Amino acid sequence: MSIKSTIADIFAAPFVLYSAAFASPYVNVESNLSYPDGDYTGATTDLAVGFEGTTSEGKIAYYIQGGPAFVHSEAADDTETQFSGKVGASVGINDDLSVYGEVSGISDEATNGDDIVNFGGKVGAKFVF
């Protein structure tokens, strides 16, 4: 899968979700720093534009976002610009419990020079008391 088709899929998703309910636009700035063993090794700062919304029944909330990611490596003392994106949803099981999931990706370059996408994901549950 090429990065161009991945980017196109990410930006097409809000229009697929649009039929469920109206999505609100937002901007998200997020920085993730890495300190393995207490030593700084790098940071990734995302500057994303996204859309979030809920279905008409309100039981399912969703979001999708994407934009440039500035990846700093302490070892190389260099910052590269990549593309990152996330898509996620949460489902209300009842008034006290919801489950959620997210898939994220960021562009990168393989050791042979090919463009790749590094994917990540998370799932969880939220209990309200």
Side-chain angles (χ1 to χ4, degrees):
M1 176 182 281
S2 76
I3 288 178
K4 289 179 184 176
S5 65
T6 302
I7 293 169
D9 291 343
I10 288 171
F11 282 106
F15 300 107
V16 173
L17 295 171
Y18 184 79
S19 62
F22 177 73
S24 301
Y26 65 88
V27 172
N28 183 43
V29 179
E30 176 179 293
S31 190
N32 295 288
L33 292 81
S34 180
Y35 286 89
D37 296 325
D39 293 325
Y40 172 77
T41 58
T44 300
T45 302
D46 297 316
L47 176 58
V49 174
F51 299 91
E52 65 184 356
T54 59
T55 59
S56 56
E57 299 84 28
K59 288 192 79 166
I60 300 173
Y62 59 87
Y63 62 93
I64 183 166
Q65 68 179 48
F70 306 101
V71 182
H72 178 260
S73 168
E74 182 68 11
D77 194 23
D78 187 28
T79 301
E80 294 183 358
T81 302
Q82 302 293 343
F83 181 83
S84 70
K86 297 178 185 179
V87 61
S90 64
V91 178
I93 305 301
N94 58 42
D95 289 343
D96 300 327
L97 173 64
S98 63
V99 294
Y100 61 89
E102 177 183 279
V103 175
S104 60
I106 186 167
S107 63
D108 201 356
E109 185 176 302
T111 55
N112 65 0
D114 288 347
D115 289 335
I116 62 172
V117 177
N118 293 321
F119 287 100
K122 64 180 173 180
V123 295
K126 181 178 180 180
F127 301 94
V128 179
F129 300 97

